[in-house]
Structure formats: structure tokens, C-alpha cells
Amino acid sequence: MARRDGIAALVMLLGAGAVVWEAAKLPFGVVRNPGPGFVPWWVALVLAALSALLGVQALRARPSGPPARSAERRQWGRVAGLLVALGVYVAALSPLGYPIATFLLVLLMLRPMLRRRPGSALGLAALAAGGSYLLFAVWLSVPLPPGPWRY
């Protein structure tokens, strides 16, 4: 795992360096009046620092044995399942609407919690769907798919 972390840290450090290089070509501005290069430069700088930190941790880590193949397959299965769930979520947005589709997606992601504490999982899913709908559709006036209940 340390080798993968080291490679990822190096790739991200190189990417952050490229963003810093390109952002430096844009007008920087000042804190009170930032230019177009201000935010990308600072974000890339923070990414570079975090990548360097990960690289140092990867270099200091002791090499571990080879990862168990079954655990690695399970992790890839979870990633594939999440990608499928996100694809179904996008397809379900128009017919179901944002609140219902988001509720179901969050509920699916909280599936392990649903078995042990169904009330908490249902409450968190409702809070996530309702809160994000309130934030984006009501306060920020972002048009979201309403679903079958058109208003």
C-alpha cells in the first residue's frame, strides 16, 4: 500500500505543480479583489502540500505483505456498485425528481447502517435529501427536477 500511496502522491504533486505553473500566468490580484489565478494557485498549493505529506508518510511506512486478493476484489466491487448506483441515480432524476432520487441514493449508501439502525438511516437520508433540496432549490434558486409533483 505504501508504494501505491507514493505513486499517487508523486502524480498529484506533479499535477499540482502544473496547475501552479499555469495559474501563475493569470492575474493574481489580492485577497480583497482576487484575480482569475488566485483560487487555482492556492488550491494547487494546498494540494501540493497534502501530496508531499502523503509522500513522506509513504516513504516512512514499513512495507506490508501483499494485500489479500479477496479484500481487493471486494473493494473494487464496492466501487463498481457505487458507479452503477450513481448511473441509476442520474437516470432516475427526471422521472422521480431530485428529492426522492437523492433520498434513495443516500439510503442505498447507508445500507450497512440500515440493517442495524433503520430509523437513523431513514432520518439521515431524509435530512440529506431535504436539506440539499432546501439549500439548492429554495435558497439558491437552482432548477432541480421536481419529478411527478410539478408545482
Side-chain angles (χ1 to χ4, degrees):
M1 190 59 100
R3 182 171 184 222
R4 288 183 183 174
D5 287 345
I7 292 170
L10 181 62
V11 169
M12 291 310 299
L13 188 61
L14 292 173
V19 172
V20 166
W21 179 268
E22 292 299 318
K25 296 177 183 177
L26 298 170
F28 192 75
V30 292
V31 174
R32 289 182 182 247
N33 188 17
F38 186 82
V39 171
W41 190 84
W42 281 106
V43 169
L45 198 64
V46 169
L47 180 63
L50 292 174
S51 299
L53 181 64
L54 179 63
V56 168
Q57 287 178 348
L59 288 174
R60 295 176 69 192
R62 295 186 182 148
S64 58
R69 289 289 176 198
S70 63
E72 192 172 302
R73 283 192 191 120
R74 239 185 352 258
Q75 289 174 348
W76 280 108
R78 288 180 182 167
V79 170
L82 180 60
L83 289 175
V84 168
L86 290 173
V88 170
Y89 171 72
V90 169
L93 269 174
S94 287
L96 292 179
Y98 178 83
I100 295 172
T102 303
F103 174 80
L104 293 174
L105 176 70
V106 173
L107 198 60
L108 176 75
M109 292 178 6
L110 293 174
R111 192 177 59 225
M113 187 177 169
L114 185 62
R115 291 186 191 127
R116 284 178 248 132
R117 302 171 82 182
S120 298
L122 290 169
L124 280 172
L127 185 67
S132 63
Y133 186 80
L134 182 69
L135 173 69
F136 291 109
V138 177
W139 288 338
L140 297 176
S141 300
V142 175
L144 295 173
W149 299 283
R150 309 240 187 260
Y151 46 89

